[in-house]
Amino acid sequence: MKDLEAILTRQQARGLYRRRRVSDGPQGPEMRIDGREVLAFCSNDYLGLANHPKVIEAMQAGARRYGAGSGAAHLINGHGRAHHQLEEALAAFSGRPRALLFSTGYMANQGVIGALLGRGDHVIEDRLNHASLIDGATLSRARLHRFAHGDMDALEARLNAIESGEKLIAVDGVFSMDGDIAPLPQLAAAARRHDAWLMVDDAHGMGVLGERGRGSLDAAGLTIDQAPILMATLGKGLGVFGAFIAGSEALIETLIQRARSYIYTTALPPAIAEATRAALALAGDEAWRRDHLFALIKHFRQGAIALGLPLMDSPTPIQPLLTGSAQQALRWSAQLEQAGLLVTPIRPPTVPEGASRLRITLSAAHDEAHVDRLLDGLSQLKPKGEENGR
Ligand SMILES: *Cc1c(COP(=O)(O)O)cnc(C)c1O
């Protein structure tokens, strides 16, 4: 048997140990976490909907009407009016014929890849794709090919080398740890040339990019023919929980027949679907949330550039500061926490070796004074060896 304690000790020594914090109260810029008041810049609640009164009210009304639990899987008798209405709203929102609700984004990615591909087929993925897309490909038994981040020549070379089988190109629409946007028109063109499906995981674009927050495909002007599989999550920009796949009638019916992570699991609580439907309406109607968010992004970037911080090239609410080593990410995160600022360090294997970072995220719930406090905290950060005031 493995010596787990020794393994954990080694992980700690390498600065890669992970631990959880306990927060009290709702998600928002000002949080109480591990008993301390902090200003947080690390949630994915980009529009500030996680604690919105109308969303909470919809969840409460949903629980009163439909109860707490769904009681069964969608294909037994767990698929209720609340789920169905949310699916219709998601289809309308994404401008596609149908949408199918999954309990989580992780499960949606597993479900769709496994339903469409198997042994002898090929999944081609950007190297920086989210873990759930990688795991979905692995579980499908198709061959997984990974190409260098955003490198369309590398993608083309991969596609050229494939001789038989179905092909699916899968990318994050907005890369979760870098914040940059996938070159969607080029990806769609490559997919067309090679008769491959294009699947876009818009966990971080949904609600944030495009008209009414319809996401990165809308922002890039891609149609359902160009990108037949849209996946997005409901627990980030929309502030609640869950995920969906949107596409053609045939795609959704195929998933209902074949997606194992859809079939063999309990339907999510109907009250969550009701809350999400309220959040979706707010996200679409309240363009000011996006306007405000993008004004904050601009303000932050200008300030960070003026300070000479190692800012990455991101146009989205994900604004990472590259530290390189895991230890440096930990040190800076701890220094910020001393100043009452919560920014989590992101380390391997979430990001490649040597690419640790502080993943700063902004939300429409922040105001300019919050961002100024963050910039002030960042301006105090000291390089390695200077922590003791040297
Ligand atoms: C968060 C995330 C997921 C997983 O979604 P959950 O609903 O949290 O399981 C999938 N893809 C990307 C790109 C993500 O960032």
Side-chain angles (χ1 to χ4, degrees), residues 103-107 109 130 132 172 174 176 201 203-204 231 233 236 242-243:
S103 290
T104 69
Y106 194 97
M107 292 164 77
N109 282 341
H130 190 261
S132 57
D172 286 18
V174 173
S176 57
D201 172 341
H204 301 275
M231 175 278 194
T233 63
K236 291 175 180 162

Side-chain angles (χ1 to χ4, degrees), residues 6-91:
I7 294 169
L8 290 170
T9 304
R10 266 203 306 281
Q11 190 159 345
Q12 200 142 22
R14 293 170 61 211
L16 298 179
Y17 203 80
R18 292 150 185 253
R19 66 181 193 90
R20 303 169 305 165
R21 299 158 184 282
V22 180
S23 70
D24 289 293
Q27 184 61 247
E30 277 147 1
M31 294 185 78
R32 193 176 167 77
I33 200 153
D34 283 352
R36 271 189 80 177
E37 304 293 334
V38 291
L39 183 57
F41 291 92
C42 44
S43 92
N44 300 311
D45 180 26
Y46 303 122
L47 298 181
L49 295 175
N51 188 35
H52 192 289
K54 282 190 178 162
V55 178
I56 296 168
E57 196 182 300
M59 192 178 280
Q60 288 169 332
R64 277 194 297 275
R65 181 163 175 192
Y66 298 110
S70 69
H74 285 277
L75 297 182
I76 309 300
N77 68 351
H79 183 69
R81 181 63 53 201
H83 304 110
H84 210 70
Q85 283 179 326
L86 175 58
E87 288 180 347
E88 286 168 355
L90 290 167

Side-chain angles (χ1 to χ4, degrees), residues 75-382:
L75 297 182
I76 309 300
N77 68 351
H79 183 69
R81 181 63 53 201
H83 304 110
H84 210 70
Q85 283 179 326
L86 175 58
E87 288 180 347
E88 286 168 355
L90 290 167
F93 187 81
S94 57
R96 290 167 176 243
R98 291 278 300 274
L100 188 71
L101 196 55
F102 282 77
S103 290
T104 69
Y106 194 97
M107 292 164 77
N109 282 341
Q110 289 210 343
V112 71
I113 299 175
L116 299 180
L117 298 106
R119 219 180 284 285
D121 296 329
H122 303 268
V123 185
I124 307 99
E125 299 203 14
D126 189 289
R127 191 161 282 283
L128 296 189
N129 275 359
H130 190 261
S132 57
L133 282 170
I134 306 289
D135 294 358
T138 305
L139 194 69
S140 77
R141 296 190 178 85
R143 173 129 182 248
L144 171 62
H145 308 258
R146 298 172 79 185
F147 60 94
H149 179 49
D151 184 341
M152 293 300 97
D153 293 336
L155 168 65
E156 192 67 25
R158 286 286 182 180
L159 288 164
N160 279 330
I162 296 170
E163 285 171 357
S164 64
E166 291 288 325
K167 294 176 283 266
L168 181 140
I169 302 168
V171 293
D172 286 18
V174 173
F175 287 88
S176 57
M177 296 299 133
D178 289 51
D180 58 331
I181 299 171
L184 295 168
Q186 291 95 309
L187 286 157
R192 175 168 301 246
R193 272 195 303 280
H194 293 273
D195 190 31
W197 273 302
L198 176 59
M199 170 173 178
V200 175
D201 172 341
D202 214 16
H204 301 275
M206 175 83 179
V208 173
L209 300 176
E211 187 68 27
R212 289 181 66 81
R214 289 194 176 103
S216 60
L217 288 175
D218 181 85
L222 257 57
T223 64
I224 186 170
D225 295 328
Q226 293 168 298
I229 308 166
L230 164 63
M231 175 278 194
T233 63
L234 304 168
K236 291 175 180 162
L238 291 176
V240 189
F241 186 76
F244 69 98
I245 301 280
S248 70
E249 184 74 31
L251 173 70
I252 299 307
E253 284 301 316
T254 301
L255 296 178
I256 294 172
Q257 314 310 312
R258 299 177 55 111
R260 295 171 66 86
S261 61
Y262 180 77
I263 299 169
Y264 297 108
T265 197
T266 301
L268 54 74
I272 291 191
E274 290 290 273
T276 306
R277 197 152 57 91
L280 190 67
L282 287 166
D285 292 344
E286 297 192 346
W288 68 263
R289 290 180 186 274
R290 278 176 290 284
D291 296 343
H292 175 59
L293 177 60
F294 280 92
L296 292 179
I297 294 168
K298 187 170 170 203
H299 183 68
F300 173 74
R301 287 188 65 85
Q302 282 172 347
I305 288 166
L307 290 171
L309 295 170
L311 199 58
M312 294 174 68
D313 191 14
S314 161
T316 68
I318 303 165
Q319 292 291 328
L321 292 183
L322 202 62
T323 63
S325 78
Q327 273 86 359
Q328 179 76 312
L330 282 173
R331 262 194 304 271
W332 278 6
S333 175
Q335 285 176 33
L336 289 171
E337 202 170 333
Q338 284 302 312
L341 297 161
L342 187 71
V343 182
T344 39
I346 303 285
R347 297 160 286 163
T350 307
V351 290
E353 208 62 55
S356 289
R357 65 199 62 187
L358 295 180
R359 180 177 181 267
I360 293 166
T361 54
L362 299 172
S363 164
H366 287 121
D367 60 29
E368 206 172 282
H370 290 144
V371 175
D372 287 337
R373 269 179 64 194
L374 173 65
L375 287 166
D376 188 50
L378 292 171
S379 74
Q380 314 283 321
L381 289 180
K382 300 175 190 79

